[in-house]
Amino acid sequence: MTSTRCDAAVLRARSADAVLLDRLGTPGADGRVDTVFRHVINVLTSDGQLIALASRSNGDAPWTLVVDVEDWSGSAVEAGQVVRFGAGSILLPAPAGDLRIDTRAARRWNPIPVSLGRLGDDHLAVASRALGHLLRSHGVPGGMLAGPPDAPPMDAAVGRALAAGRDAFVHAVRLQDDEGTRRAVLGLLGLGPGLTPAGDDFLTGPALLSALTGTRLRPFARTLAAVLGDHPGRTTLLSLTTLREALAGRVRDPWPAVLHALAATAGRGEAQVTETLRNPVRRALAIGHTSGTDTLSGLLTGLHLERELRGSL
């Protein structure tokens, strides 16, 4: 931190969601610190939008500002403190002195979508097998992946509920049963511990696919959007934000890299596809404890459903 006066410190934003940067260009907005973690400070704006101030070890994501700081452990920022947004800066008043984040030179992040319409049925099958292999080889058990046989009873019960929810979801979407899909989404939403429960992470995968051009998953997207609108308190604010952004095709890095790698492998054999996907998938699997694994499980399920809905099975 570089001191500019006795009670202020200035940090530089390295990158930021372009949508967020455009919003910050309007002076006079405010918010409050919602939660403080070692690598992320979550800020809730006056109109209910959750914004993440992430340390430089984090990747780009919707509604996220990546700040050139190792972590927030010495910031003295606490939940409930007022946050002031202005053109080119964010001010966090703190007992030990104000903290100002300069956003003027931040690189604008805007994920570039791919088109599912460019991926033929045969390639979807090859890509699904490759992703399935990587999920089984490198995924973390305990969420959508079955946990160990000696898992605590509560963990085992959650695991069974997640598996049942996934099966109900697949059955309903396969039949294009809107009411069944709604019940399945409600059964998964908020299911599991943590800031982004496993059921929500799973739903993020098909939600992202449903936003891409050429998809057959649009009916599911409409149902999910309706459920989120009707039951916003069913899950955490972070999960709610993540799912809504996924429906718009906006997800955190490195998921866009996974999709672009998948699209770039059209026409290749399964071994080549697996090797091309290995690095971006392993980076994605490193997100959270099981969040990356659970999201990949949902993405893989979405690809299977996409292929089925095309009438190829």
Side-chain angles (χ1 to χ4, degrees), residues 53-178:
L53 307 177
S55 67
R56 56 176 171 256
S57 62
N58 287 261
D60 289 307
W63 296 104
T64 296
L65 200 73
V66 179
V67 183
D68 194 11
V69 62
E70 183 174 354
D71 59 50
W72 299 108
S73 57
S75 66
V77 174
E78 298 176 351
Q81 291 176 347
V82 174
V83 179
R84 304 291 184 192
F85 302 112
S89 70
I90 299 175
L91 179 66
L92 291 87
D98 294 351
L99 182 63
R100 187 180 300 275
I101 300 173
D102 187 343
T103 65
R104 291 173 296 179
R107 174 180 57 82
R108 295 173 67 88
W109 174 81
N110 209 349
I112 301 173
V114 300
S115 172
L116 278 182
R118 296 173 54 192
L119 305 181
D121 295 350
D122 289 343
H123 181 60
L124 286 179
V126 171
S128 295
R129 290 196 298 270
L131 285 175
H133 170 74
L134 293 170
L135 180 62
R136 291 188 298 273
S137 300
H138 305 297
V140 180
M144 297 306 301
L145 284 187
D150 59 348
M154 182 60 70
D155 292 349
V158 171
R160 289 192 297 270
L162 287 167
R166 177 188 57 217
D167 292 346
F169 171 80
V170 169
H171 180 73
V173 175
R174 178 184 289 144
L175 296 178
Q176 300 186 61
D177 175 1
D178 291 344

Side-chain angles (χ1 to χ4, degrees), residues 11 44 53 60 64 106 110 122 134 147 157 166 193 196 209 232 235 241 253 261 285:
L11 293 172
L44 189 62
L53 307 177
D60 289 307
T64 296
N110 209 349
D122 289 343
L134 293 170
R166 177 188 57 217
T196 57
L209 292 177
T235 189
T241 301
D253 281 343
L285 291 174

Side-chain angles (χ1 to χ4, degrees), residues 136-250:
R136 291 188 298 273
S137 300
H138 305 297
V140 180
M144 297 306 301
L145 284 187
D150 59 348
M154 182 60 70
D155 292 349
V158 171
R160 289 192 297 270
L162 287 167
R166 177 188 57 217
D167 292 346
F169 171 80
V170 169
H171 180 73
V173 175
R174 178 184 289 144
L175 296 178
Q176 300 186 61
D177 175 1
D178 291 344
E179 186 54 38
T181 300
R182 181 180 178 87
R183 289 194 301 269
V185 167
L186 277 169
L188 286 166
L189 194 62
L191 181 57
L195 288 174
T196 57
D200 299 7
D201 289 327
F202 173 83
L203 289 170
T204 299
L208 172 60
L209 292 177
S210 75
L212 305 182
T213 57
T215 183
R216 302 294 178 89
L217 291 168
R218 289 286 166 79
F220 152 69
R222 290 191 292 270
T223 299
L224 177 58
V227 170
L228 295 178
D230 293 341
H231 303 275
R234 185 100 173 187
T235 189
T236 67
L237 182 55
L238 179 57
S239 262
L240 187 66
T241 301
T242 299
L243 284 165
R244 283 175 170 165
E245 292 300 313
L247 285 170
R250 288 163 37 85

